[in-house]
Amino acid sequence: MTDTAPDPSASRPVDAIADAYVEQYAALAPTDATYIGVAGHDAEMTDYSPDGFAAREALARGTLNAVEAAAASDPRERVARDAMIERLRLGVELYDARQPQSALNVIASPMHDVRLVFDLMATDAEDDWATIATRLAKVPAALDGYRRTLLDCARGGSVAARRQVLACAQQCASWTDRGEGGDVFDGLVGFGPDGGGVPSPLREALHRSAGSARDAYDAFGRFLRDELAPLARETDAVGPDLYRLHSRNFLGATVDLDETYTWGWGELRRIEQDMAETAGLIVPAGSVDDAVAALDADPARTIAGKEAFRRWMQQLADRTIDELAGTHFDIPEPVRRIECCLAPTGDGGIYYTGPSEDFSRPGQMWWAVPEGIDDFSTWREVTTVFHEGVPGHHLQVGQTAFRSELLNRWQRLMCWCAGHGEGWALYAERLMDDLGYLDDPGDRLGMLDAQAFRAARVVVDIGMHMQLRIPPDNPFGFHPGERWTPELGLEFLRQHTRMEDAFIRFELDRYLGWPGQAPSYKVGERIWLQARDEARARQGANFDLARFHRAALDLGSLGLDPLRESLARL
């Protein structure tokens, strides 16, 4: 695989390099190609062996060298160049630290990518099912390559914590459960082909491939439990040096982590004071817990059944798009379609996947509802729909994918910075409060509860991974002076969130295995708010909020430091 790039003397050299990178990367990472919506690779599977990772690393290094040597042709290309250099430099640093190669946690790893990709594949025609059968048959080789990479990294000292290894082994077991609910692969191929006019040989191939994928995940789970777990590290914390690298990667910015840790305590206190005032509007003179009990007991705010809840999410998402389009935001026609979906697993995650490049697959909001949860309180989830839908991820990601006249292909499809994206989605929740969409005290309490949750994890994530002490004078009197442990993290989350315990436990495992990602929401929102305030100060009476949003989103996804620099030039 060559890492050469187009001639930088071309009329738009940065765009040419970026577009070539998308094509080369899609060929090396077919699974990612499906995620970002690049056609032509759906029957293939990414090579997760050491050689596969080495090829993608070489491409990143070669592309970084080419972009650094290229001169931007205009201000728009300058933004693209800055964004690409920032993302690729961090990518190379992560490769040097063997982080992509050794990645294994309960939410984001090749183990998850291989399974999740099938949720995004078309199932409308016979050819679609043939493609699924072909890719399913390649799952065993993909997991075997990943197994060899993990062992190679572990022998070199780069390995996940035992907590993550064992939790991932348990996830494999849940995905291949042959009990009453069946396994996810039989569930996939049973979704349509048996009764959908698919020829018998293809049905047999699908079930055969699904069986081999299930057996491969069974074997991978045993490998994690029996071979990798004994090599895994005992401590969950990654330590200050590695945490700073992950923080820069997720934020696209360098922040003072000690200051941010202190800010997180104060921000949580501020939000909980707002919650107490809002609770008084629901239950006069009552506490937040009194208000939560009243809201949960309100039949008008309760939905029974997962499918009924999915329909409620869809209706709210559609209505919000209709009302915001042409008023507060310019929403392109293809972006006005979103699908709310129930994931085939019960891992507890809520996530968004973007549209395909041609918008034949719309943006999708997914909910992996944990087993045993069948009743849903809508007051908690109105803000979730705004976060994942419009004006949150769906608007940001969908609009970026649509702006081919402004953004090159890498910017539209591949560039992602959690601080920018998750920060925007959290900013969008607060914006909807400002716009009057959370005037109902119950819905507003749901938004504040979600904000408190994000603030609490700033404290927990930084505190645990940096191995900090709890401030002796913290505003909650929580274990003053003690050093953070996972047990204290769980206790803190339980005190400051109002979620099902299954969600809280999953979230704690997520933070411990994905250092720096959880704070990117609240810290990203903080930087978005600062950028907006800076723009208002520069423009004075000429500042227009809708115009600011359009200009900021038209820059595409980029690190938060490049975002602020780009906005300052507008």
Side-chain angles (χ1 to χ4, degrees), residues 166-250:
L166 294 177
C168 287
Q170 181 57 44
Q171 285 182 326
C172 288
S174 70
W175 297 346
T176 60
D177 179 19
R178 294 168 174 79
E180 182 178 345
D183 68 82
V184 296
F185 299 104
D186 274 346
L188 168 69
V189 300
F191 179 71
D194 286 342
V198 174
S200 178
L202 177 53
R203 291 200 304 271
E204 293 170 2
L206 278 163
H207 285 286
R208 191 163 54 247
S209 295
S212 68
R214 180 191 61 222
D215 292 345
Y217 268 96
D218 264 342
F220 190 75
R222 290 193 299 272
F223 153 72
L224 293 177
R225 185 179 60 251
D226 299 338
E227 295 184 54
L228 193 64
L231 302 175
R233 66 177 197 268
E234 290 292 339
T235 180
D236 292 288
V238 297
D241 291 341
L242 198 52
Y243 189 80
R244 290 188 183 96
L245 172 60
H246 283 294
S247 175
R248 286 194 292 115
N249 177 52
F250 283 117

Side-chain angles (χ1 to χ4, degrees), residues 124-146:
D124 298 324
E126 180 180 331
D127 286 348
D128 297 331
W129 287 106
T131 300
I132 289 173
T134 301
R135 180 173 261 176
L136 271 172
K138 296 176 180 177
V139 167
L143 292 180
D144 181 66
Y146 182 36

Side-chain angles (χ1 to χ4, degrees), residues 325-408:
T327 53
H328 299 288
F329 294 97
D330 297 322
I331 305 179
E333 190 61 37
V335 185
R336 299 187 186 190
R337 179 186 171 204
I338 184 174
E339 285 185 357
C340 297
C341 309
L342 296 174
T345 64
D347 299 335
I350 303 168
Y351 54 95
Y352 172 82
T353 55
S356 59
E357 189 171 14
D358 61 0
F359 283 89
S360 59
R361 183 190 76 210
Q364 295 170 310
M365 184 191 316
W366 296 85
W367 195 309
V369 182
E371 292 298 324
I373 296 180
D374 293 302
D375 292 327
F376 304 87
S377 297
T378 58
W379 68 271
R380 301 172 188 267
E381 308 306 344
V382 169
T383 196
T384 302
V385 175
F386 297 155
H387 181 107
E388 304 293 345
V390 168
H393 287 318
H394 182 63
L395 174 64
Q396 180 188 39
V397 174
Q399 178 169 302
T400 296
F402 181 78
R403 300 292 187 204
S404 59
E405 80 283 6
L406 296 176
L407 304 170
N408 64 47

Side-chain angles (χ1 to χ4, degrees), residues 43-384:
E44 305 162 20
M45 188 65 82
T46 299
D47 179 1
Y48 294 107
S49 72
D51 287 345
F53 278 101
R56 291 187 290 278
E57 179 182 354
L59 175 62
R61 291 181 185 276
T63 304
L64 174 59
N65 291 336
V67 176
E68 288 179 328
S73 63
D74 58 24
R76 185 178 70 76
E77 270 210 331
R78 180 180 175 182
V79 173
R81 181 179 182 274
D82 290 348
M84 203 165 190
I85 288 174
E86 188 271 338
R87 290 287 86 192
L88 287 171
R89 279 181 181 168
L90 274 166
V92 167
E93 284 190 65
L94 289 165
Y95 274 119
D96 286 341
R98 297 183 68 76
Q99 294 304 291
Q101 302 95 316
S102 62
L104 180 71
N105 61 58
V106 297
I107 193 169
S109 74
M111 182 191 99
H112 296 82
D113 294 341
V114 170
R115 193 214 64 74
L116 284 165
V117 72
F118 292 100
D119 297 347
L120 303 180
M121 296 180 67
T123 58
D124 298 324
E126 180 180 331
D127 286 348
D128 297 331
W129 287 106
T131 300
I132 289 173
T134 301
R135 180 173 261 176
L136 271 172
K138 296 176 180 177
V139 167
L143 292 180
D144 181 66
Y146 182 36
R147 178 190 61 80
R148 288 186 281 122
T149 299
L150 290 175
L151 280 177
D152 181 59
C153 289
R155 291 165 183 150
S158 297
V159 63
R162 181 169 287 114
R163 176 193 301 268
Q164 301 299 318
V165 176
L166 294 177
C168 287
Q170 181 57 44
Q171 285 182 326
C172 288
S174 70
W175 297 346
T176 60
D177 179 19
R178 294 168 174 79
E180 182 178 345
D183 68 82
V184 296
F185 299 104
D186 274 346
L188 168 69
V189 300
F191 179 71
D194 286 342
V198 174
S200 178
L202 177 53
R203 291 200 304 271
E204 293 170 2
L206 278 163
H207 285 286
R208 191 163 54 247
S209 295
S212 68
R214 180 191 61 222
D215 292 345
Y217 268 96
D218 264 342
F220 190 75
R222 290 193 299 272
F223 153 72
L224 293 177
R225 185 179 60 251
D226 299 338
E227 295 184 54
L228 193 64
L231 302 175
R233 66 177 197 268
E234 290 292 339
T235 180
D236 292 288
V238 297
D241 291 341
L242 198 52
Y243 189 80
R244 290 188 183 96
L245 172 60
H246 283 294
S247 175
R248 286 194 292 115
N249 177 52
F250 283 117
L251 291 176
T254 300
V255 300
D256 183 330
L257 290 169
D258 290 325
E259 186 276 336
T260 303
Y261 176 66
T262 300
W263 169 81
W265 285 95
E267 180 69 356
L268 178 58
R269 178 62 174 163
R270 180 194 66 79
I271 295 168
E272 291 193 342
Q273 288 173 338
D274 196 349
M275 292 177 69
E277 295 174 6
T278 303
L281 301 176
I282 300 167
V283 179
S287 67
V288 172
D289 287 339
D290 292 333
V292 168
L295 293 169
D296 283 343
D298 184 353
R301 299 178 187 269
T302 303
I303 293 178
K306 298 176 184 179
E307 176 56 28
F309 182 63
R310 187 205 65 79
R311 290 196 300 270
W312 174 84
M313 288 194 300
Q314 185 71 60
Q315 292 165 1
L316 177 58
D318 291 341
R319 185 170 70 248
T320 304
I321 291 173
D322 289 343
E323 293 176 1
L324 292 183
T327 53
H328 299 288
F329 294 97
D330 297 322
I331 305 179
E333 190 61 37
V335 185
R336 299 187 186 190
R337 179 186 171 204
I338 184 174
E339 285 185 357
C340 297
C341 309
L342 296 174
T345 64
D347 299 335
I350 303 168
Y351 54 95
Y352 172 82
T353 55
S356 59
E357 189 171 14
D358 61 0
F359 283 89
S360 59
R361 183 190 76 210
Q364 295 170 310
M365 184 191 316
W366 296 85
W367 195 309
V369 182
E371 292 298 324
I373 296 180
D374 293 302
D375 292 327
F376 304 87
S377 297
T378 58
W379 68 271
R380 301 172 188 267
E381 308 306 344
V382 169
T383 196
T384 302

Side-chain angles (χ1 to χ4, degrees), residues 331-548:
I331 305 179
E333 190 61 37
V335 185
R336 299 187 186 190
R337 179 186 171 204
I338 184 174
E339 285 185 357
C340 297
C341 309
L342 296 174
T345 64
D347 299 335
I350 303 168
Y351 54 95
Y352 172 82
T353 55
S356 59
E357 189 171 14
D358 61 0
F359 283 89
S360 59
R361 183 190 76 210
Q364 295 170 310
M365 184 191 316
W366 296 85
W367 195 309
V369 182
E371 292 298 324
I373 296 180
D374 293 302
D375 292 327
F376 304 87
S377 297
T378 58
W379 68 271
R380 301 172 188 267
E381 308 306 344
V382 169
T383 196
T384 302
V385 175
F386 297 155
H387 181 107
E388 304 293 345
V390 168
H393 287 318
H394 182 63
L395 174 64
Q396 180 188 39
V397 174
Q399 178 169 302
T400 296
F402 181 78
R403 300 292 187 204
S404 59
E405 80 283 6
L406 296 176
L407 304 170
N408 64 47
R409 207 173 178 206
W410 175 81
Q411 290 173 291
R412 297 198 313 275
L413 301 178
M414 280 187 67
C415 183
W416 174 256
C417 172
H420 182 279
E422 300 296 355
W424 167 265
L426 207 57
Y427 169 88
E429 294 184 47
R430 185 181 294 201
L431 177 67
M432 291 299 275
D433 185 27
D434 295 340
L435 296 178
Y437 280 80
L438 294 170
D439 284 349
D440 178 275
D443 293 342
R444 188 169 189 275
L445 188 65
M447 182 273 291
L448 291 171
D449 189 46
Q451 287 266 341
F453 171 52
R454 270 56 175 263
R457 64 195 199 183
V458 171
V459 172
V460 171
D461 198 87
I462 296 176
M464 287 195 300
H465 283 292
M466 297 280 286
Q467 298 172 303
L468 301 178
R469 290 195 182 277
I470 298 169
D473 57 349
N474 74 80
F476 310 107
F478 182 81
H479 293 269
E482 294 185 32
R483 199 174 296 279
W484 281 103
T485 65
E487 292 73 26
L488 288 177
L490 184 62
E491 181 182 342
F492 191 78
L493 290 173
R494 283 171 170 163
Q495 287 185 11
H496 295 281
T497 61
R498 290 160 181 83
M499 305 167 66
E500 295 284 347
D501 208 57
F503 279 112
I504 295 175
R505 288 182 174 277
F506 175 84
E507 285 292 316
L508 181 68
D509 283 349
R510 167 187 167 183
Y511 311 156
L512 291 169
W514 212 11
Q517 196 273 346
S520 68
Y521 294 65
K522 204 76 180 76
V523 179
E525 178 204 37
R526 185 189 190 191
I527 295 176
W528 268 106
L529 289 168
Q530 290 169 346
R532 185 183 70 183
D533 291 344
E534 290 164 2
R536 181 181 281 114
R538 286 193 304 270
Q539 299 172 21
N542 293 324
F543 178 79
D544 178 84
L545 184 60
R547 188 166 62 243
F548 167 79

